[in-house]
């Protein structure tokens, strides 16, 4: 068991550097099996999801090792196509190996992917898209069993701009025969970064960041040394923490462009935001005024920052309304925030807050990764002591969150019982 113990209050001041983006690195790890040569992912965060993905790769005969912070993957000896069920259940990103395995060994078998329980999260769009490329599915009832003779380029229009389905299609089309056109694709910065990564391996991809991506299949891909983009969600988390507690925080290794939905939302509120190169400087003295947020696919407000802005809405002055449109069960943190004194009502889709002067500390439970981060922020701004239990959800996606917040002046510790392994151990 791991938990965050937080004594709330006090400004946040200083500098913090974010890690490489979790949601960029995870599909890249699947992409690394598309060549027999070494793939080096620079500054790869040693977060729990990455460590599970490494275990999956090793189970397929792929060699993976860290050299300080760089991860070296060599898939020349890949000898498996079945992903162990227990590991599939641990993270959603195991699904990226469908596309990558079909490209590399022409078959794949896996249980349905796990991940945060923030909605049904079906993979129907992935499956329909892969069928267009010629993939045969033999079972999609209790597990996924599929194979392909030759992947063939096709025109595919996604029913929804799903991040994962777009990435799976990229991973399966880069080595296909002919050209694949992905319409209504996702435009998230992490999708763009996956395209840059695959291009650095020799793939021919055009149009990422727009509604249509075109992939011209190539015969082979080669190794690469690649530095992923900084984590905009981690950066957004420190940004929102500064709005809650007040202070002056410089966040580096994150292109402000990728955080525009957050910056645009608050730049006319009470804080001051400066940006240059890969740095965001945020200065906040007064309580944020009530606001509205509606999550939706990029370039709209990211669902992965919804829980964190809920923590902000709890203590903003006046009324705030937060609408979640991406996942149907992503307010798991709200009952916990209400136990901390939040004045909020919500249904599956919308939460309405009447900002209170301050939350009070409480014993609360993280139910998912970002919801847990939202509770940490609520605890940082609350009066008294907050314990956020089940911190392992948060450690799936944040590297040394407590240490980084402590360096900004927060009073927060990650406490684990004697039987729990250090969360960042391989
Ligand atoms: C990615 O999940 C991210 N995960 C999520 O981050 C993020 O919240 C999400 O994109 C949206 O930005 C990774 O990149 C590893 P989707 P993904 O497919 O790919 C429905 C975090 O905390 N849908 O765009 O699973 C789905 O149910 C995580 O870091 C289908 O109906 O997201 C959801 O309602 C959580 N059928 C919506 O689309 C499908 O086949 C968006 O899902 C696929 C998706």
């Amino acid at each position: 068991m791991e938990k965050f113990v937080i004594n709330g209050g006090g400004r946040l001041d200083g500098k913090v550097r974010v890690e490489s983006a979790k949601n960029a690195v995870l599909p890249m790890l699947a992409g690394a099996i598309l060549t027999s040569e070494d793939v080096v992912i620079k500054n790869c965060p040693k977060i729990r999801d990455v460590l599970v993905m490494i275990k999956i790769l090793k189970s397929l005969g792929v060699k993976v090792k860290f050299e300080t912070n760089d991860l070296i993957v060599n898939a020349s000896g890949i000898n498996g196509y079945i992903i162990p069920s227990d590991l599939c259940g641990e993270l959603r990103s195991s699904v990226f190996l469908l596309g990558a395995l079909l490209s590399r060994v022409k078959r794949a078998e896996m249980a349905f992917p796990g991940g945060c329980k923030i909605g049904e999260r079906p993979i129907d769009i992935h499956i329909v898209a892969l069928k267009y490329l010629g993939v045969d599915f033999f079972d999609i009832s209790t597990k996924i069993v599929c194979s392909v003779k030759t992947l063939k380029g096709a025109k595919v229009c996604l029913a929804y701009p799903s991040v994962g389905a777009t990435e799976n299609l990229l991973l399966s089309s880069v080595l296909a025969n002919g050209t694949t056109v992905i319409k209504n694709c996702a435009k998230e910065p992490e999708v763009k970064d996956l395209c840059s990564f695959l291009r650095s391996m020799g793939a021919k991809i055009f149009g990422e960041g727009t509604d249509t991506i075109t992939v011209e299949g190539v015969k082979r891909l080669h190794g690469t040394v690649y530095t992923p983009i900084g984590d905009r969600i981690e950066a957004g988390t420190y940004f929102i923490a500064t709005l809650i507690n007040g202070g002056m925080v410089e966040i580096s290794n994150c292109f402000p462009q990728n955080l525009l939905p957050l910056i645009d939302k608050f730049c006319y509120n009470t804080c001051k935001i400066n940006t240059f190169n890969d740095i965001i400087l945020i200065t906040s003295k007064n309580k944020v005024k009530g606001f509205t947020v509606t999550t939706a696919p990029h370039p709209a407000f990211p669902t992965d920052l919804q829980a964190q802005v809920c923590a902000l809405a709890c203590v903003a002055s006046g009324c705030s309304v937060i609408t979640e449109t991406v996942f149907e069960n992503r307010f798991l943190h709200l009952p916990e925030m209400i136990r901390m004194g939040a004045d909020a009502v919500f249904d599956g889709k919308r939460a309405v807050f009447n900002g209170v002067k301050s939350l009070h500390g409480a014993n609360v439970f993280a139910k998912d990764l970002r919801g847990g981060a939202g509770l940490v922020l609520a605890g940082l701004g609350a009066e008294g002591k907050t314990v956020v239990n089940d911190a392992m959800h948060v450690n799936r996606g944040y590297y040394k969150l407590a240490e980084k917040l402590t360096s900004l002046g927060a009073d927060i510790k990650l406490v684990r019982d004697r039987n729990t392994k250090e969360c960042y151990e391989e």
Side-chain angles (χ1 to χ4, degrees):
M1 284 282 287
E2 292 162 333
K3 57 189 176 187
F4 290 108
V5 180
I6 305 163
N7 285 302
R11 282 166 54 100
L12 298 177
D13 286 294
K15 296 182 182 185
V16 63
R17 184 180 167 82
V18 301
E19 307 298 317
S20 294
K22 164 179 97 68
N23 290 345
V25 167
L26 289 166
M28 284 175 198
L29 288 177
I33 71 166
L34 299 181
T35 174
S36 293
E37 297 176 12
D38 276 1
V39 169
V40 181
I41 297 178
K42 307 280 288 177
N43 300 326
C44 182
K46 292 178 184 162
I47 47 178
R48 193 166 263 163
D49 272 9
V50 166
L51 301 181
V52 176
M53 196 69 168
I54 291 173
K55 273 194 201 161
I56 294 179
L57 292 179
K58 285 184 175 168
S59 77
L60 298 170
V62 178
K63 290 206 175 88
V64 192
K65 63 172 183 200
F66 267 107
E67 264 179 19
T68 55
N69 293 327
D70 301 340
L71 190 73
I72 305 168
V73 182
N74 185 294
S76 54
I78 188 163
N79 56 16
Y81 64 92
I82 303 175
I83 308 174
S85 306
D86 53 329
L87 298 178
C88 283
E90 281 197 41
L91 85 166
R92 174 80 178 173
S93 302
S94 51
V95 77
F96 299 133
L97 282 159
L98 266 191
L101 281 169
L102 285 163
S103 277
R104 183 67 200 270
V105 294
K106 308 283 182 253
R107 60 197 302 196
E109 192 174 320
M110 63 180 291
F112 280 88
C116 289
K117 308 276 181 282
I118 51 184
E120 275 297 313
R121 308 189 79 183
I123 57 163
D124 53 326
I125 300 174
H126 301 238
I127 291 173
V128 169
L130 290 170
K131 281 185 180 170
Y132 273 98
L133 267 63
V135 178
D136 292 315
F137 285 84
F138 304 103
D139 190 358
I140 45 168
S141 52
T142 50
K143 58 180 178 173
I144 306 150
V145 183
C146 56
S147 73
V148 65
K149 279 203 184 76
T150 310
L151 285 161
K152 293 195 188 93
K155 278 194 185 145
V156 185
C157 182
L158 302 181
Y160 180 92
S162 154
V163 172
T166 304
E167 293 173 337
N168 235 335
L169 212 41
L170 285 165
L171 293 166
S172 53
S173 60
V174 281
L175 288 169
N177 273 355
T179 300
T180 300
V181 179
I182 315 172
K183 289 196 170 287
N184 196 29
C185 60
K187 296 187 279 234
E188 270 66 5
E190 294 77 17
V191 174
K192 286 172 71 179
D193 206 34
L194 176 65
C195 292
S196 305
F197 165 79
L198 291 168
R199 209 180 283 119
S200 77
M201 296 170 73
K204 289 196 174 156
I205 306 175
F206 314 91
E208 71 272 21
T210 71
D211 288 323
T212 305
I213 296 178
T214 303
V215 183
E216 284 174 13
V218 295
K219 288 264 173 297
R220 60 180 294 278
L221 294 178
H222 52 73
T224 184
V225 177
Y226 192 80
T227 306
I229 51 169
D231 197 317
R232 66 190 166 112
I233 305 302
E234 186 192 356
T237 302
Y238 301 126
F239 182 114
I240 296 163
T242 313
L243 292 182
I244 293 174
N245 281 48
M248 185 158 83
V249 172
E250 184 184 297
I251 304 163
S252 63
N253 193 32
C254 177
F255 288 113
Q257 190 68 25
N258 292 340
L259 260 185
L260 272 189
L262 181 67
I263 294 173
D264 284 352
K265 178 58 58 186
F266 291 103
C267 63
Y268 295 115
N269 208 300
T270 51
C271 57
K272 202 168 134 209
I273 302 163
N274 292 311
T275 62
F276 28 92
N277 298 328
D278 69 344
I279 289 177
I280 301 168
L281 177 65
I282 163 134
T283 313
S284 168
K285 277 193 201 133
N286 303 313
K287 248 181 187 287
V288 160
K289 289 183 267 181
F291 57 89
T292 58
V293 155
T294 300
T295 69
H298 194 76
F301 196 91
T303 173
D304 290 348
L305 286 175
Q306 179 259 102
Q308 299 86 323
V309 283
C310 279
L312 177 61
C314 291
V315 292
S317 64
C319 178
S320 299
V321 179
I322 298 181
T323 307
E324 170 64 49
T325 75
V326 180
F327 291 102
E328 65 278 14
N329 190 26
R330 211 172 193 182
F331 281 133
L332 299 170
H333 42 279
L334 276 185
E336 307 298 299
M337 288 178 184
I338 289 169
R339 283 167 57 198
M340 297 176 74
D343 180 356
V345 287
F346 66 102
D347 57 18
K349 231 181 140 88
R350 184 163 294 133
V352 179
F353 298 80
N354 263 316
V356 294
K357 189 162 167 277
S358 173
L359 295 177
H360 53 76
N363 192 40
V364 293
F365 288 81
K367 308 277 172 55
D368 66 282
L369 162 55
R370 306 301 173 188
L375 291 174
V376 167
L377 298 200
L380 287 179
E383 276 173 13
K385 180 173 158 183
T386 295
V387 177
V388 180
N389 294 284
D390 295 341
M392 74 277 185
H393 291 296
V394 181
N395 294 328
R396 287 183 41 208
Y398 290 86
Y399 186 63
K400 305 212 164 174
L401 181 64
E403 279 94 326
K404 289 190 184 188
L405 287 168
T406 301
S407 78
L408 298 177
D411 182 349
I412 171 170
K413 270 197 305 259
L414 178 67
V415 179
R416 77 179 61 84
D417 67 25
R418 252 184 291 149
N419 303 322
T420 306
K421 244 173 110 180
E422 147 75 79
C423 54
Y424 307 114
E425 272 173 33
E426 279 177 74

